[in-house]
Amino acid sequence: MRLLERMRKEWFMVGIVLAISGAKLEPSIGVNGGPLKPEITVSYIAVATIFFNSGLSLNTEELTSALVHLKLHLFIQIFTLAFFPAAIWLFLQLLSITPINEWLLKGLQTVGCMPPPVSSAVILTKAVGGNEGIVVTPLLLLLFLGSSSSVPFTSIFSQLFMTVVVPLIIGQVVRRYIKDWLERKKPPFGAISSSVLLMIIYTTFCDTFSNPNIDLDKFSLILILFIICSIQLSFMLLTFIFSTRNNSSFTPADTVAIIFCSTHKSLTLGIPMLKIVFAGHEHLSLIAVPLLIYHPVQILLGSVLVPTIKSWMVSRQKGVKLTRPTV
């Protein structure tokens, strides 16, 4: 099962490249007002489809049982939605004096605001054998991003409610009635969401390539890639140090969940959110670039580190068992 999921993610990364390349070759198809009518099909239908699909696939029973790990969830929430964006903001104050493209830097800030994905962080946590589960708070994310958007907060909130919250709730309601069928047939939820997400990415870059005034220099792109890799490795190390202190009371399995869930960011929620918050913004695709880079990097780094982290966790768990007093 994990092999199939890994293959799907590899194909999805190839799909991102193809979607951007397709937008470069023929941007007129996916621009606003073009044949695809993305102002309707993407802004409303595609985003709603993703979250209806998420509502159908979301196992509420597992999430409810996972909430008993209150301290674990609190740590992840604070690190992800408070420490992470604040640290990125401070770092960007230094980077603002560099020649890096300013819209890529703004995109780096939006990456810091994103919640962790339900997919890659959980899959990598399972691969090691740790605990899983995260409570996403998109309202905090919306408040953080909305301040730099030209779209009124009321418009952002209403569209977010109609295209994210309502489809998610409907999906959960429908799931209650067809739960047995879903568990028996196991529909390809991941493939469906990935396909729709590729359409959103394609139309986003169609707008960019149809605008002759937007230029992305390779120097900025290379530096952003290096910065993203450095941020991920640094924050993974930081969460490891925080969660393994003597007074932390986290188990080795908790530490695994913290490392992955605190540092991974959601592309599935992120791209639709950017489409809503920065609707009509001419630099939207540049703002989205850091998130599009962060996604494959987090999967690749995570996959490389899984054997090492698993070995550490097993050795720690054996050590704990050996030190327990016998009755």
Side-chain angles (χ1 to χ4, degrees), residues 11 15 18 49 60 89 148 167 183 190 196 200 233 245-246 249 259 275 277 291-292 300 302 308 324 327:
W11 278 110
L18 292 176
T49 299
T60 323
W89 182 83
S148 59
E183 291 179 351
V196 177
I200 297 175
L233 288 172
R245 292 177 303 169
N246 292 331
S249 75
I259 290 173
K275 290 286 285 187
V277 175
L291 184 58
L292 290 172
L300 292 173
T308 303
R324 285 177 179 171
V327 180

Coordinates of all heavy atoms in Angstrom, one line a residue, residues 11 15 18 49 60 89 148 167 183 190 196 200 233 245-246 249 259 275 277 291-292 300 302 308 324 327:
W11 N 4.5 10.2 -9.4 CA 3.8 10.6 -10.7 C 3.1 12.0 -10.5 O 3.1 12.8 -11.5 CB 2.7 9.6 -11.0 CG 3.2 8.4 -11.8 CD1 3.4 7.1 -11.3 CD2 3.8 8.4 -13.1 NE1 3.9 6.3 -12.2 CE2 4.2 7.1 -13.4 CE3 3.9 9.4 -14.1 CZ2 4.7 6.7 -14.6 CZ3 4.5 9.0 -15.3 CH2 4.9 7.7 -15.5
G15 N 3.6 15.2 -12.8 CA 2.4 15.9 -13.2 C 2.5 17.4 -13.1 O 2.1 18.2 -13.9
L18 N 4.7 18.7 -15.8 CA 3.9 18.7 -17.1 C 2.9 19.8 -17.1 O 2.6 20.4 -18.2 CB 3.3 17.3 -17.3 CG 4.2 16.1 -17.5 CD1 3.4 14.8 -17.6 CD2 5.0 16.4 -18.8
T49 N -14.5 20.2 -5.2 CA -14.3 18.8 -5.4 C -13.3 18.2 -4.5 O -13.4 17.1 -4.0 CB -14.0 18.6 -6.9 OG1 -15.0 19.1 -7.7 CG2 -13.7 17.1 -7.2
T60 N -13.2 10.0 10.4 CA -13.5 10.8 11.7 C -13.2 10.0 12.9 O -12.8 10.6 13.9 CB -14.9 11.4 11.7 OG1 -15.3 11.7 10.3 CG2 -15.0 12.6 12.5
W89 N 9.2 34.8 9.1 CA 9.0 36.2 8.9 C 10.3 36.9 9.4 O 10.8 37.9 8.7 CB 7.9 36.7 9.8 CG 7.6 38.2 9.7 CD1 6.9 38.9 8.7 CD2 8.2 39.2 10.6 NE1 7.0 40.2 9.0 CE2 7.7 40.5 10.1 CE3 9.0 39.2 11.7 CZ2 8.1 41.7 10.7 CZ3 9.3 40.4 12.4 CH2 8.8 41.6 11.8
S148 N -2.2 40.5 3.8 CA -1.4 40.9 2.7 C -2.1 40.8 1.3 O -1.5 40.9 0.3 CB 0.0 40.1 2.6 OG -0.3 38.8 2.5
P167 N -18.3 21.8 1.4 CA -18.1 20.5 0.7 C -17.5 19.5 1.7 O -17.8 18.3 1.6 CB -17.0 20.8 -0.4 CG -17.3 22.3 -0.7 CD -17.6 22.9 0.7
E183 N -15.3 1.5 2.4 CA -14.2 0.7 2.9 C -14.1 -0.6 2.1 O -13.0 -1.2 2.0 CB -14.6 0.3 4.4 CG -14.5 1.5 5.3 CD -14.9 1.2 6.7 OE1 -15.4 0.0 6.9 OE2 -14.7 2.0 7.6
G190 N -7.0 9.7 -3.4 CA -5.7 10.5 -3.6 C -5.5 10.9 -5.1 O -5.1 12.0 -5.4
V196 N -7.3 16.9 -9.8 CA -7.9 18.2 -9.7 C -6.9 19.3 -9.4 O -6.9 20.4 -9.9 CB -9.1 18.2 -8.7 CG1 -9.7 19.6 -8.6 CG2 -10.1 17.2 -9.1
I200 N -5.6 23.0 -11.1 CA -5.5 24.3 -10.5 C -4.1 24.9 -10.7 O -4.0 26.1 -11.0 CB -5.8 24.1 -9.0 CG1 -7.2 23.7 -8.7 CG2 -5.5 25.5 -8.3 CD1 -7.5 23.4 -7.3
L233 N 15.4 20.9 6.9 CA 16.4 20.2 7.7 C 16.6 20.8 9.0 O 16.7 20.1 10.1 CB 17.8 20.1 6.9 CG 17.8 19.2 5.7 CD1 19.1 19.3 5.0 CD2 17.6 17.7 6.1
R245 N 13.9 16.3 24.8 CA 14.5 16.8 26.0 C 14.0 15.9 27.2 O 13.0 15.2 27.1 CB 14.1 18.2 26.3 CG 14.6 19.2 25.3 CD 14.1 20.6 25.6 NE 12.6 20.6 25.5 CZ 11.8 21.5 26.0 NH1 12.4 22.6 26.5 NH2 10.5 21.4 25.8
N246 N 14.8 15.8 28.2 CA 14.5 14.9 29.4 C 13.1 15.2 30.0 O 12.5 14.3 30.5 CB 15.6 15.1 30.4 CG 16.9 14.5 30.0 OD1 17.0 13.6 29.1 ND2 18.0 15.0 30.5
S249 N 8.5 14.5 28.1 CA 7.6 13.4 28.3 C 7.0 12.8 27.0 O 6.0 12.0 27.0 CB 6.4 13.9 29.2 OG 5.5 14.7 28.5
I259 N 8.3 15.4 14.3 CA 9.2 15.7 13.2 C 8.6 15.9 11.9 O 8.8 16.9 11.2 CB 10.3 14.7 13.1 CG1 11.2 14.7 14.4 CG2 11.2 14.8 11.9 CD1 12.2 13.5 14.4
K275 N -5.3 30.6 -4.2 CA -6.2 31.0 -5.3 C -7.4 31.9 -4.7 O -7.8 32.8 -5.4 CB -6.8 29.8 -6.0 CG -5.9 29.0 -6.8 CD -5.5 29.7 -8.1 CE -6.6 29.6 -9.1 NZ -6.2 30.2 -10.4
V277 N -7.2 33.6 -1.5 CA -6.7 34.8 -0.9 C -6.1 35.8 -1.8 O -6.3 37.0 -1.7 CB -5.7 34.4 0.2 CG1 -5.0 35.6 0.8 CG2 -6.3 33.5 1.3
L291 N 5.8 27.0 -2.5 CA 5.0 25.9 -2.0 C 5.1 24.7 -2.9 O 5.2 23.5 -2.5 CB 3.6 26.3 -1.8 CG 2.6 25.2 -1.3 CD1 3.1 24.8 0.1 CD2 1.2 25.8 -1.2
L292 N 5.2 25.0 -4.2 CA 5.3 23.9 -5.2 C 6.7 23.2 -5.1 O 6.9 22.0 -5.4 CB 5.1 24.4 -6.6 CG 3.7 24.9 -7.0 CD1 3.7 25.6 -8.4 CD2 2.8 23.7 -7.0
L300 N 10.9 14.0 -0.6 CA 12.2 13.4 -0.8 C 13.1 13.3 0.5 O 13.7 12.3 0.8 CB 12.9 14.2 -1.9 CG 12.3 14.1 -3.3 CD1 13.0 15.1 -4.3 CD2 12.4 12.7 -3.8
G302 N 12.0 13.5 3.5 CA 11.4 12.5 4.5 C 11.7 11.1 4.1 O 12.0 10.3 5.0
T308 N 16.7 6.1 8.9 CA 17.5 6.6 10.1 C 16.6 6.8 11.3 O 16.9 6.4 12.4 CB 18.2 7.9 9.7 OG1 19.1 7.7 8.6 CG2 19.1 8.4 10.9
R324 N 12.8 -0.4 32.3 CA 11.6 -0.5 33.2 C 11.8 -1.6 34.3 O 12.3 -2.7 34.0 CB 10.3 -1.0 32.3 CG 9.8 0.2 31.5 CD 8.6 -0.3 30.6 NE 8.1 0.8 29.9 CZ 7.2 0.6 28.9 NH1 6.7 -0.6 28.6 NH2 6.7 1.6 28.2
V327 N 8.3 -6.4 38.0 CA 7.5 -6.5 39.2 C 7.6 -8.0 39.8 O 7.5 -8.9 39.0 CB 6.0 -6.2 39.0 CG1 5.2 -6.4 40.2 CG2 5.9 -4.8 38.4

